[in-house]
PDB file of all heavy atoms in Angstrom:
ATOM      1  N   ALA A 115     203.536 -69.739 -47.119  1.00 98.00           N
ATOM      2  CA  ALA A 115     202.615 -70.198 -46.023  1.00 98.00           C
ATOM      3  C   ALA A 115     202.186 -68.944 -45.353  1.00 98.00           C
ATOM      4  O   ALA A 115     202.962 -68.031 -45.011  1.00 98.00           O
ATOM      5  CB  ALA A 115     203.388 -71.057 -45.037  1.00 98.00           C
ATOM      6  N   ILE A 116     200.858 -68.881 -45.114  1.00 98.00           N
ATOM      7  CA  ILE A 116     200.301 -67.599 -44.616  1.00 98.00           C
ATOM      8  C   ILE A 116     199.431 -67.889 -43.355  1.00 98.00           C
ATOM      9  O   ILE A 116     198.509 -68.686 -43.305  1.00 98.00           O
ATOM     10  CB  ILE A 116     199.406 -66.931 -45.656  1.00 98.00           C
ATOM     11  CG1 ILE A 116     200.232 -66.617 -46.950  1.00 98.00           C
ATOM     12  CG2 ILE A 116     198.803 -65.577 -45.062  1.00 98.00           C
ATOM     13  CD1 ILE A 116     199.402 -66.036 -48.071  1.00 98.00           C
ATOM     14  N   ASN A 117     199.822 -67.146 -42.263  1.00 98.00           N
ATOM     15  CA  ASN A 117     199.030 -67.179 -41.050  1.00 98.00           C
ATOM     16  C   ASN A 117     198.432 -65.765 -40.994  1.00 98.00           C
ATOM     17  O   ASN A 117     198.980 -64.776 -40.600  1.00 98.00           O
ATOM     18  CB  ASN A 117     200.127 -67.329 -39.894  1.00 98.00           C
ATOM     19  CG  ASN A 117     199.579 -67.297 -38.518  1.00 98.00           C
ATOM     20  OD1 ASN A 117     200.148 -66.753 -37.588  1.00 98.00           O
ATOM     21  ND2 ASN A 117     198.368 -67.866 -38.295  1.00 98.00           N
ATOM     22  N   LEU A 118     197.133 -65.732 -41.512  1.00 98.00           N
ATOM     23  CA  LEU A 118     196.464 -64.468 -41.720  1.00 98.00           C
ATOM     24  C   LEU A 118     196.376 -63.643 -40.400  1.00 98.00           C
ATOM     25  O   LEU A 118     196.193 -64.214 -39.375  1.00 98.00           O
ATOM     26  CB  LEU A 118     195.033 -64.690 -42.230  1.00 98.00           C
ATOM     27  CG  LEU A 118     194.890 -65.288 -43.635  1.00 98.00           C
ATOM     28  CD1 LEU A 118     193.479 -65.915 -43.766  1.00 98.00           C
ATOM     29  CD2 LEU A 118     195.137 -64.254 -44.670  1.00 98.00           C
ATOM     30  N   VAL A 119     196.408 -62.327 -40.522  1.00 98.00           N
ATOM     31  CA  VAL A 119     196.107 -61.482 -39.389  1.00 98.00           C
ATOM     32  C   VAL A 119     194.609 -61.545 -39.157  1.00 98.00           C
ATOM     33  O   VAL A 119     194.127 -61.830 -38.087  1.00 98.00           O
ATOM     34  CB  VAL A 119     196.588 -60.047 -39.640  1.00 98.00           C
ATOM     35  CG1 VAL A 119     196.173 -59.124 -38.431  1.00 98.00           C
ATOM     36  CG2 VAL A 119     198.097 -59.969 -39.857  1.00 98.00           C
ATOM     37  N   ASP A 120     193.902 -61.317 -40.234  1.00 98.00           N
ATOM     38  CA  ASP A 120     192.407 -61.318 -40.144  1.00 98.00           C
ATOM     39  C   ASP A 120     191.885 -62.384 -41.116  1.00 98.00           C
ATOM     40  O   ASP A 120     192.013 -62.259 -42.282  1.00 98.00           O
ATOM     41  CB  ASP A 120     191.883 -59.943 -40.530  1.00 98.00           C
ATOM     42  CG  ASP A 120     190.404 -59.841 -40.394  1.00 98.00           C
ATOM     43  OD1 ASP A 120     189.753 -60.902 -40.313  1.00 98.00           O
ATOM     44  OD2 ASP A 120     189.888 -58.693 -40.338  1.00 98.00           O
ATOM     45  N   ARG A 121     191.314 -63.425 -40.523  1.00 97.00           N
ATOM     46  CA  ARG A 121     191.020 -64.614 -41.353  1.00 97.00           C
ATOM     47  C   ARG A 121     189.942 -64.328 -42.383  1.00 97.00           C
ATOM     48  O   ARG A 121     189.721 -65.137 -43.352  1.00 97.00           O
ATOM     49  CB  ARG A 121     190.638 -65.808 -40.467  1.00 97.00           C
ATOM     50  CG  ARG A 121     189.321 -65.686 -39.797  1.00 97.00           C
ATOM     51  CD  ARG A 121     189.097 -66.848 -38.892  1.00 97.00           C
ATOM     52  NE  ARG A 121     187.729 -66.849 -38.395  1.00 97.00           N
ATOM     53  CZ  ARG A 121     186.733 -67.508 -38.952  1.00 97.00           C
ATOM     54  NH1 ARG A 121     186.941 -68.269 -39.958  1.00 97.00           N
ATOM     55  NH2 ARG A 121     185.507 -67.426 -38.438  1.00 97.00           N
ATOM     56  N   VAL A 122     189.197 -63.233 -42.273  1.00 97.00           N
ATOM     57  CA  VAL A 122     188.168 -62.936 -43.325  1.00 97.00           C
ATOM     58  C   VAL A 122     188.765 -61.994 -44.399  1.00 97.00           C
ATOM     59  O   VAL A 122     188.037 -61.559 -45.251  1.00 97.00           O
ATOM     60  CB  VAL A 122     186.857 -62.351 -42.735  1.00 97.00           C
ATOM     61  CG1 VAL A 122     186.231 -63.372 -41.759  1.00 97.00           C
ATOM     62  CG2 VAL A 122     187.085 -61.029 -41.991  1.00 97.00           C
ATOM     63  N   GLU A 123     190.082 -61.739 -44.325  1.00 97.00           N
ATOM     64  CA  GLU A 123     190.670 -60.839 -45.338  1.00 97.00           C
ATOM     65  C   GLU A 123     191.530 -61.583 -46.322  1.00 97.00           C
ATOM     66  O   GLU A 123     192.590 -61.005 -46.747  1.00 97.00           O
ATOM     67  CB  GLU A 123     191.456 -59.712 -44.549  1.00 97.00           C
ATOM     68  CG  GLU A 123     190.617 -58.746 -43.849  1.00 97.00           C
ATOM     69  CD  GLU A 123     189.755 -57.899 -44.761  1.00 97.00           C
ATOM     70  OE1 GLU A 123     190.119 -57.648 -45.881  1.00 97.00           O
ATOM     71  OE2 GLU A 123     188.677 -57.444 -44.238  1.00 97.00           O
ATOM     72  N   ALA A 124     191.213 -62.775 -46.651  1.00 98.00           N
ATOM     73  CA  ALA A 124     192.082 -63.573 -47.548  1.00 98.00           C
ATOM     74  C   ALA A 124     191.822 -63.294 -49.026  1.00 98.00           C
ATOM     75  O   ALA A 124     192.682 -63.596 -49.865  1.00 98.00           O
ATOM     76  CB  ALA A 124     191.919 -65.020 -47.260  1.00 98.00           C
ATOM     77  N   SER A 125     190.677 -62.692 -49.334  1.00 98.00           N
ATOM     78  CA  SER A 125     190.249 -62.619 -50.728  1.00 98.00           C
ATOM     79  C   SER A 125     191.253 -61.893 -51.689  1.00 98.00           C
ATOM     80  O   SER A 125     191.633 -62.436 -52.682  1.00 98.00           O
ATOM     81  CB  SER A 125     188.877 -61.893 -50.740  1.00 98.00           C
ATOM     82  OG  SER A 125     188.476 -61.663 -52.060  1.00 98.00           O
ATOM     83  N   ASN A 126     191.713 -60.716 -51.277  1.00 97.00           N
ATOM     84  CA  ASN A 126     192.688 -59.976 -52.092  1.00 97.00           C
ATOM     85  C   ASN A 126     193.962 -60.678 -52.241  1.00 97.00           C
ATOM     86  O   ASN A 126     194.565 -60.695 -53.310  1.00 97.00           O
ATOM     87  CB  ASN A 126     192.972 -58.621 -51.488  1.00 97.00           C
ATOM     88  CG  ASN A 126     191.883 -57.609 -51.729  1.00 97.00           C
ATOM     89  OD1 ASN A 126     191.094 -57.843 -52.657  1.00 97.00           O
ATOM     90  ND2 ASN A 126     191.808 -56.598 -50.876  1.00 97.00           N
TER      91      ASN A 126
END
Side-chain angles (χ1 to χ4, degrees):
I116 304 175
N117 178 218
L118 291 162
V119 176
D120 184 342
R121 72 185 189 96
V122 298
E123 290 294 333
S125 175
N126 281 340

